[in-house]
Amino acid sequence: MWQTGNWHENGSAPWPEFEDKLGFAAMPTQDGNDPGTTSMSGGWALSIPAKSDNKDLAWEFIKMASTPEMNLELQLNDRNISPYKEVAENPKYQELPFFEEATSFLENTNFRPAVDKYPNVSTVIQSLVEQVVTDSISPEEAAEQYKVQVTEIVGADKIMEK
């Protein structure tokens, strides 16, 4: 739930009460071992296509778009976690609902697996969480749909039930 921008007044799914209805909790490590919490981070990148006719101009754009100042502007509108410490320490960024706390969880983050099926599983998780928090489905229904959808994505031979 890093991307609370979906719910702000100009987001894709405005939800005025989200700050009152949601909260954050650090994910504990599997067996409570140090450091006690964990998180998973993904990523994104700006890139230049190999067949671009304007590689120099594209590179200038990437340099401009990758500055902390531009990243702050992006996060104030898009509301994703910033990769810049300088941005994360900015008072405007910290005023975004949940962002100071969410950013603190990055202290114990691990990089998201770079496997081809993970983005699909991640999308299922995001969709089901949104459906639960907007009362479209119950947590029990979400758990059952998660089981079915992830099995379809990764295959029954990759699923372990406990």
Side-chain angles (χ1 to χ4, degrees):
M1 186 181 101
W2 297 124
Q3 195 166 358
T4 59
N6 290 335
W7 304 317
H8 72 88
E9 63 186 31
N10 297 322
S12 61
W15 181 22
E17 300 86 17
F18 85 92
E19 288 182 64
D20 300 322
K21 302 284 183 180
L22 298 177
F24 268 68
M27 178 68 68
T29 54
Q30 183 173 353
D31 298 311
N33 50 320
D34 287 336
T37 65
T38 188
S39 180
M40 189 175 296
S41 295
W44 53 268
L46 299 173
S47 58
I48 303 170
K51 295 184 180 183
S52 170
D53 292 332
N54 296 300
K55 287 183 173 76
D56 291 337
L57 185 58
W59 178 240
E60 290 304 314
F61 173 79
I62 289 172
K63 289 193 303 187
M64 180 270 308
S66 298
T67 64
E69 296 79 19
M70 291 300 290
N71 187 260
L72 176 61
E73 269 312 299
L74 175 65
Q75 302 326 328
L76 293 176
N77 291 297
D78 193 42
R79 302 203 180 176
N80 263 314
I81 299 296
S82 177
Y84 289 101
K85 185 176 182 180
E86 176 183 336
V87 172
E89 293 172 347
N90 186 292
K92 288 182 183 177
Y93 175 89
Q94 291 182 357
E95 288 173 5
L96 294 171
F98 306 114
F99 271 58
E100 185 173 10
E101 184 176 13
T103 300
S104 74
F105 295 158
L106 296 178
E107 182 177 316
N108 298 321
T109 198
N110 296 285
F111 190 71
R112 181 174 68 193
V115 294
D116 63 337
K117 304 217 183 316
Y118 187 83
N120 296 333
V121 172
S122 183
T123 298
V124 167
I125 293 168
Q126 292 171 37
S127 174
L128 292 172
V129 167
E130 182 176 348
Q131 290 177 62
V132 169
V133 299
T134 59
D135 289 328
S136 299
I137 61 175
S138 70
E140 295 77 17
E141 291 170 315
E144 186 56 38
Q145 286 185 32
Y146 176 81
K147 177 182 172 183
V148 169
Q149 291 179 38
V150 170
T151 301
E152 289 174 1
I153 293 168
V154 303
D157 62 321
K158 303 284 191 282
I159 300 297
M160 178 176 66
E161 290 188 47
K162 288 188 173 190

